[in-house]
Amino acid sequence: MTEANTDEGREIARLAMEGEERTQKRERETKIKSIKTERDQISERLRLVLVDKEKLELAWVELDNARKLIRKNLEPILAEEKSFETEESALEDEEAKIGLAKDKQVVEKKRWLAQDKRRDAEQKKWQEEDKLTKLDQTIEANTANYRSLLDEEEKLETRLTELGAEEAAL
């Protein structure tokens, strides 16, 4: 195969025949097409980044509302738990002051009942706190993803600016 039949040979022939002015014009047009293609790809990726950011923002609102609801649900549970703890403590003090075993037994049964109620309240509290922890973890993960999208968005915007400058220089 001769040099004229190869791609390299054809390129040499084209450059020689089209002349310097047309070669520069063709290279400029090729560069402009390349810039436009890259700009279009970046614009599409930016659009997708914005869509993803919006989804994360909406998810954050939903998760934050759920978190507020759980915290609101926790308030009466915590108050109930505190009340039972106070009742239990008062019964322990009363039990310590009683001398007769029969009287002590009555107070001890009341204390056991208060302990059972407190344990039930603690179980409810732990369930709500577990939900809250899971929500917080999801919010943290989404926040990390959102910040990553912000970084990507910034890089893409910077590249678009660079492409605009490249095109203006042509």
Side-chain angles (χ1 to χ4, degrees), residues 122-166:
E122 283 178 341
Q123 291 293 327
K124 291 177 191 173
K125 176 184 81 170
W126 293 336
Q127 288 174 351
E128 294 300 309
E129 286 176 342
D130 286 346
K131 291 178 193 175
L132 194 58
T133 299
K134 287 177 185 172
L135 280 175
D136 286 339
Q137 289 171 343
T138 302
I139 288 171
E140 285 178 30
N142 285 357
T143 299
N145 289 337
Y146 190 84
R147 288 179 182 162
S148 175
L149 289 171
L150 287 175
D151 291 342
E152 182 179 358
E153 181 180 32
E154 187 178 321
K155 288 176 186 173
L156 292 170
E157 293 287 352
T158 299
R159 183 62 185 145
L160 277 179
T161 302
E162 291 170 355
L163 289 172
E166 282 181 38

Side-chain angles (χ1 to χ4, degrees), residues 14-56:
R14 182 177 39 207
L15 292 173
M17 290 189 289
E18 71 184 1
E20 188 176 327
E21 188 177 306
R22 286 192 176 139
T23 298
Q24 288 175 353
K25 181 180 178 189
R26 181 181 46 79
E27 287 174 350
R28 182 179 182 277
E29 288 172 355
T30 301
K31 182 68 175 164
I32 289 172
K33 285 179 185 176
S34 173
I35 288 172
K36 182 186 178 328
T37 299
E38 187 176 351
R39 184 183 294 134
D40 290 347
Q41 290 171 346
I42 290 172
S43 294
E44 177 61 16
R45 182 60 196 143
L46 272 172
R47 186 188 69 74
L48 295 174
V49 165
L50 292 174
V51 167
D52 290 346
K53 279 176 42 184
E54 182 180 359
K55 287 178 185 175
L56 289 171

